[in-house]
Amino acid sequence: MAVSKRPAERARTMAATKRQAAVRQQQQQHSPTVRVAKKSRSQASFTFADQARSYDVSSTVTMESDQDRIGFYRESLNKVARGKVVLDIGTGDHGILAQLALQAGAKYVYAVEIREGAAKNAQQTLDRLHPGKATVFKANITKLHRRDKALLDALREVDIVVHEVFGTIASEEGIVQIFQSVLQSRLP
């Protein structure tokens, strides 16, 4: 009797294996392939600053073309910015949130951008549209040093902080570290 069960068991096993293979094949056809690679040394030390530096003008244009998002910021700044000193963290290539704050009546805007070219572009845009009302600092706000005296002094004047630093998850782009740095810089 044992001899007769073996072929039946083999047949069931082969049928199960074929079904599993068919399911795997179907899953592969309907879902993207995900490969997990071992992190290199440079990937292992990837920072929030590295992520911010990876953005380009197309990232800015994407945000600026999102009318719902811009409308939300405009409405919010119209309620709170009049007569205030505003800090725009991650101002981008055109300083859009800094512009919105100034349009809402902000007394002055300090903006911080980690990418040098974007900081320069934002300063030029703000100088053209709102001369003498904004300063853009090229800096990594999470790593301020005594040599960043002008920025540190500016942070002590700030009444309102505005940013568009979120990512997919609120903590993804380092906003917790950014705010810790801002708060720490405001201490006497």
Side-chain angles (χ1 to χ4, degrees):
M1 219 163 174
V3 173
S4 64
K5 277 190 171 180
R6 284 190 182 156
E9 286 177 17
R10 283 188 198 138
R12 281 194 300 269
T13 302
M14 286 176 60
T17 302
K18 285 180 182 178
R19 281 192 304 271
Q20 289 170 349
V23 167
R24 275 194 304 271
Q25 184 178 12
Q26 187 176 18
Q27 287 173 341
Q28 289 172 352
Q29 289 173 349
H30 297 291
S31 66
T33 302
V34 176
R35 294 186 182 164
V36 178
K38 186 177 176 184
K39 287 185 178 181
S40 70
R41 182 173 288 219
S42 63
Q43 289 171 321
S45 62
F46 188 77
T47 66
F48 298 118
D50 295 326
Q51 181 176 355
R53 285 187 199 97
S54 73
Y55 297 140
D56 59 16
V57 74
S58 68
S59 304
T60 300
V61 171
T62 298
M63 182 203 163
E64 291 174 355
S65 63
D66 184 341
Q67 292 306 304
D68 290 336
R69 183 186 299 192
I70 295 300
F72 167 79
Y73 281 104
R74 179 178 285 115
E75 185 179 317
S76 298
L77 287 165
N78 282 337
K79 291 177 184 176
V80 298
R82 182 162 305 284
K84 305 288 183 169
V85 176
V86 176
L87 171 64
D88 176 6
I89 298 172
T91 200
D93 292 86
H94 303 132
I96 189 69
L97 298 182
Q99 289 181 51
L100 293 174
L102 290 165
Q103 290 167 6
K107 179 166 84 175
Y108 200 85
V109 173
Y110 294 106
V112 180
E113 174 58 49
I114 198 166
R115 297 174 297 131
E116 188 169 355
K120 185 178 178 181
N121 291 341
Q123 185 68 66
Q124 290 170 349
T125 299
L126 292 166
D127 286 345
R128 183 172 35 82
L129 299 173
H130 304 278
K133 301 289 270 174
T135 301
V136 179
F137 294 94
K138 188 275 178 204
N140 178 348
I141 200 160
T142 63
K143 295 185 179 183
L144 297 176
H145 302 282
R146 283 182 237 196
R147 70 176 175 266
D148 301 312
K149 184 174 177 4
L151 176 53
L152 290 167
D153 290 344
L155 291 175
R156 290 185 185 95
E157 297 177 34
V158 169
D159 299 308
I160 297 170
V161 176
V162 63
H163 66 87
E164 204 288 326
V165 180
F166 289 116
T168 307
I169 302 170
S171 62
E172 184 175 287
E173 292 187 38
I175 197 63
V176 172
Q177 293 84 348
I178 289 169
F179 271 99
Q180 286 174 336
S181 180
V182 169
L183 291 171
Q184 184 67 31
S185 71
R186 293 176 56 96
L187 298 175

